[in-house]
Amino acid sequence: MLKLWRKAAGLEPSRVDCTIERVDGIDADAVIEPRMRAWYLHLLDTAPLHLLAATDASRTIHVDYCEWHEGAAGLLPDTVRRLLEVHVTGWKCHAVPCSPQEQPRRHRLALNPYSAPGPAHPLCTLYGRRIHVLPFEAGDFVDYALAVTDPGPEVYTLDDSLLSTIPTEIYDEH
């Protein structure tokens, strides 16, 4: 990825048929790498889902049963950038996290015994990094969680078409 960024900035290909020694200058890689990482994380957060790799992150998502609302809550790990759907043992289908705009309506419906979330119509909400799932019984656990995850600073997994969004200017204009 660093080589692609260097090429986009006009810093590649390198001349290897001659040598030049300088004792001053800019470490271009040190300038590029933080911008490259920020660009990638922004893509994970905003790019169309069909251009990103989604994986099962259920092993990293742990929720705790809350008796007072018969649901569970927990924090998403830092590696999960976007949660796409969740399944808890005992549910008959997956739940897609409801949008912030839907949350007030869904929570009002959850208070009504006729429209409350159940195994056939579960509810998943996100409040920042906090996840809430309903229904949930003691002993249940998240057995599937499709998510866009950050594999770490050394790995970049994305569709080739997103490479066209690499900026050609590597320096901030500020």
Side-chain angles (χ1 to χ4, degrees):
M1 184 60 68
L2 183 59
K3 190 169 187 162
L4 291 171
W5 272 68
R6 287 179 65 82
K7 187 174 184 178
L11 299 174
E12 291 284 337
S14 301
R15 293 279 318 258
V16 293
D17 59 337
C18 67
T19 59
I20 299 173
E21 289 188 34
R22 289 191 61 160
V23 293
D24 65 334
I26 298 172
D27 182 359
D29 291 353
V31 173
I32 293 172
E33 285 176 343
R35 299 249 353 242
M36 181 173 69
R37 180 83 174 134
W39 165 84
Y40 180 64
L41 294 176
H42 178 73
L43 285 178
L44 293 180
D45 295 341
T46 62
L49 293 174
H50 70 280
L51 299 176
L52 301 171
T55 60
D56 181 7
S58 60
R59 293 182 187 194
T60 64
I61 298 175
H62 303 286
V63 293
D64 295 315
Y65 177 65
C66 301
E67 187 174 327
W68 62 271
H69 71 51
E70 297 178 358
L75 291 176
L76 292 176
D78 291 337
T79 56
V80 173
R81 300 299 296 194
R82 289 161 80 177
L83 185 63
L84 307 177
E85 60 184 42
V86 177
H87 187 268
V88 170
T89 54
W91 289 2
K92 296 181 189 222
C93 61
H94 294 105
V96 174
C98 63
S99 70
Q101 296 81 9
E102 283 182 278
Q103 287 177 3
R105 180 182 152 284
R106 293 292 304 267
H107 282 279
R108 281 193 308 276
L109 290 171
L111 298 174
N112 183 324
Y114 297 104
S115 60
H121 298 287
L123 176 62
C124 174
T125 56
L126 295 175
Y127 298 96
R129 309 254 351 124
R130 189 154 189 77
I131 178 175
H132 293 254
V133 291
L134 288 161
F136 195 93
E137 296 179 8
D140 283 349
F141 59 92
V142 174
D143 64 351
Y144 179 74
L146 186 64
V148 174
T149 59
D150 173 19
E154 300 299 320
V155 179
Y156 293 81
T157 307
L158 48 87
D159 189 270
D160 287 348
S161 65
L162 292 173
L163 296 176
S164 66
T165 66
I166 294 174
T168 56
E169 295 292 322
I170 61 168
Y171 301 102
D172 286 332
E173 296 177 15
H174 307 291

